[in-house]
Structures are given as structure tokens and as C-alpha cells.
Amino acid sequence: MSLPGAQRASGTEATETVAPAVDLVLGASACCLACVFTNPLEVVKTRLQLQGELRARGTYPRPYRGFFASVAAVIRADGLCGLQKGLAAGLLYQGLMNGVRFYCYSLACQAGLTQQPGGTVVAGAVAGALGAFVGSPAYLVKTQLQAQTVAAMAVGHQHHHQSVLGALETIWRQQGLAGLWRGVGGAVPRVMVGSAAQLATFASAKAWVQKQQWLPEDSWLVALAGGMISSVAVAAVMTPFDVVSTRLYNQPVDGTGKGQLYGGLADCLVKIWRQEGPLALYKGLGPAYLRLGPHTILSMLFWDELRKLAGRGLHQGT
């Protein structure tokens, strides 16, 4: 079965659908599976984005230089398991955010909203924003855990959490409920643009590949090709927001829970631009694409294949 709202390349008008609740489970499961494989790239990306925070280029040490050297640096500092730092929080985030995102997107498809001009982009952005809000506490903890390392290799503020639950408890106790959603102002636009680009380009690219009839219609290679195209768009539009989001989530806070470095999304963008230069908004672009590319491909591929299985099961049961 194709994406919601996308028609088969053969030209048939009717398409099999699954319930939004099923899409919630399938979307969350697919993205969690992808997260297991891509989390090491997320660790490297986070370290590179925090390196040289609010300092001009050339005025700070660079323990992380490029993708492969950074992977080696993480292993030297934290061991091989260091590449999976924050995995539990990452899985929690992927389950929450993408469950909500795919559920809302499926609802929009069933309502016919994605058939309207620009409907796919709008539905993807709104679904992504809702998912980002729900999953924000998990992303907050994930970022802080992935930034933690030995003093000699530390970049950004070190929060010294011991576990996911310990981090949530500490933040709740020191900053209250609002503290768990600190930084959400950067996360929502980050996921909005990424989700809109991913869902819109994947649906369009997959339909285009099907129309060309280069590959068998039901082959997983069709979804793979759509994901490869989608990942380029996602990385291009999402990386600046990703850098800002990482900075907002990891910054130290005062006694009232207010960020000590940035006042919000706009303030963070301006400070990075002025103090580090515009190219700093693309810090970690290489690992970001290497992470977003496989994650987009794997998550959309897993989702598409799981939806096919679910659709066949529903069809056989009728």
C-alpha cells in the first residue's frame, strides 16, 4: 500500500487504507527501529553542533573534526557504548513524536486535506508541530545525555544526568512542569519544516518513481528511492533549526529555569549568526545528513512496508 493520499502508479483510483490508530503504532514503531541504527550519528551531530558555542571560528579547541574523526573521538572518550548515548530517550522521543505525527497526518489524508493544493505540506507541518510538542521533554533529555562526556572532550554545558528517569525527575524538581518543555520553541519549527519536507517529498517522489515504472510497483525499492530523495530536502531545510534546537535544549538555566545563553528561537539565531557566522547554522551538516538520510529512508521504508502488511491483513480479514 502506498502513502495515504497517494495513488498507485497503475492508475487505479481506489487505494487500501489503514486506520489512523494503526498508522500511529506503525509510524512510531518504524521510526524507533530506524533510531536504533542512526543514534550514533545523532551523538556525533550533537557534539559538533555544540562545539565552539558562541565563539568565533579559530578561537576554541576542536576535539571533534569531521564525521569519522568525531566517531573515533567519541569512542576514545566514552567507549563503544558512547555511540549509543541517549538511546532510551531517543526511542521515547521517536515513539511519542512520530506516533502523533503519523496519526495526525493519516487523519488529514482520510479527511481529504492532502488532496488540496499544498495540503500535503500543510498537513505534514501541522502534524510535525503537534508531535514535536508532545515529544519535547524526551528530546530535551536526549540532547543533554548525548552532550555529556569526559571533561577533556566536553562541548556545551554538561548536565551530569545519570539516566532518562533521573534527568526527568531532576528537571521536574528544579524547574517544574514548564522546565520539561524548555526549548520547545526551537523544536516545533524544526520538526515542522522537516516533517513537511519529508512527508511531501516522500509522497511525491514515491508516486513519481511508481509512474516511471522503473521498479516493481510493490517493491521496497520504490520506498527506498522516495526516502533517498526526501532525505536531501529534509537535511537542507532542517539543519539550521536543528542547530538552534540543540543549543536551546542544552543551555544552562538559572534558578528560575530561564536559559542563561539564549532567550528563544530568534535570539539564538541572531547570536549564532553574529558571534559564529552564518555557516555555523550548518554545523554538523555532514553527520546531520548521514543521520537524517538513513533515518528518513529507514523510517519511511519501515512505515511503508508495515502499512502494506497491515493493509493486507485487513483485506484478508474482510
Side-chain angles (χ1 to χ4, degrees):
M1 179 175 54
S2 60
L3 275 170
Q7 292 184 348
R8 292 180 176 272
S10 60
T12 57
E13 295 296 325
T15 59
E16 296 175 354
T17 60
V18 298
V22 176
D23 255 335
L24 184 153
V25 176
L26 298 183
S29 300
C31 292
C32 284
L33 284 172
C35 179
V36 174
F37 295 99
T38 61
N39 191 68
L41 300 169
E42 185 77 7
V43 173
V44 172
K45 182 211 71 173
T46 298
R47 303 278 178 91
L48 285 170
Q49 289 178 342
L50 290 171
Q51 184 169 250
E53 186 170 19
L54 297 183
R55 298 178 66 178
R57 185 177 180 86
T59 64
Y60 56 86
R62 296 177 60 195
Y64 305 99
R65 294 174 177 267
F67 173 67
F68 293 107
S70 296
V71 170
V74 171
I75 294 174
R76 285 197 304 270
D78 305 310
L80 193 60
C81 291
L83 290 172
Q84 288 291 10
K85 275 197 170 186
L87 177 60
L91 292 172
L92 178 61
Y93 170 72
Q94 292 295 335
L96 291 171
M97 192 274 285
N98 285 294
V100 172
R101 182 167 72 107
F102 280 97
Y103 177 78
C104 293
Y105 186 77
S106 185
L107 285 177
C109 290
Q110 285 197 358
L113 298 178
T114 55
Q115 300 302 314
Q116 304 301 318
T120 300
V121 175
V122 173
V126 173
L130 292 172
F133 182 83
V134 172
S136 187
Y139 198 91
L140 169 69
V141 172
K142 179 193 75 70
T143 300
Q144 295 180 1
L145 287 172
Q146 290 176 338
Q148 291 181 184
T149 186
V150 296
M153 301 294 289
V155 290
H157 183 72
Q158 301 291 289
H159 291 269
H160 306 294
H161 299 308
Q162 299 301 314
S163 66
V164 175
L165 290 178
L168 291 170
E169 181 183 0
T170 298
I171 296 170
W172 175 286
R173 186 176 62 252
Q174 295 179 355
Q175 304 171 36
L177 181 63
L180 294 172
W181 270 268
R182 181 173 57 82
V184 71
V188 168
R190 169 188 176 272
V191 177
M192 281 184 70
V193 297
S195 179
Q198 183 190 62
L199 291 171
T201 56
F202 179 76
S204 301
K206 183 169 176 284
W208 181 78
V209 172
Q210 287 177 323
K211 185 177 181 180
Q212 304 307 310
Q213 297 183 343
W214 292 334
L215 301 166
E217 183 179 339
D218 292 328
S219 172
W220 62 271
L221 291 172
V222 175
L224 177 63
M228 290 176 65
I229 297 172
S230 179
S231 64
V232 176
V234 173
V237 302
M238 196 173 181
T239 298
F241 295 97
D242 198 35
V243 173
V244 170
S245 185
T246 297
R247 299 287 183 87
L248 291 175
Y249 276 131
N250 194 67
Q251 69 173 325
V253 297
D254 59 22
T256 64
K258 183 180 179 180
Q260 295 183 358
L261 299 179
Y262 312 105
L265 173 67
D267 183 54
C268 186
L269 280 169
V270 170
K271 285 182 176 177
I272 292 174
W273 184 288
R274 289 179 176 175
Q275 299 186 39
E276 301 176 50
L279 291 180
L281 292 171
Y282 280 91
K283 277 188 175 181
L285 176 62
Y289 174 74
L290 291 175
R291 180 260 172 193
L292 286 169
H295 186 87
T296 299
I297 292 168
L298 289 171
S299 61
M300 300 307 281
L301 175 60
F302 289 152
W303 180 47
D304 201 62
E305 292 300 307
L306 288 171
R307 294 183 91 249
K308 286 179 182 179
L309 292 174
R312 288 168 186 164
L314 290 172
H315 180 72
Q316 292 174 357
T318 58

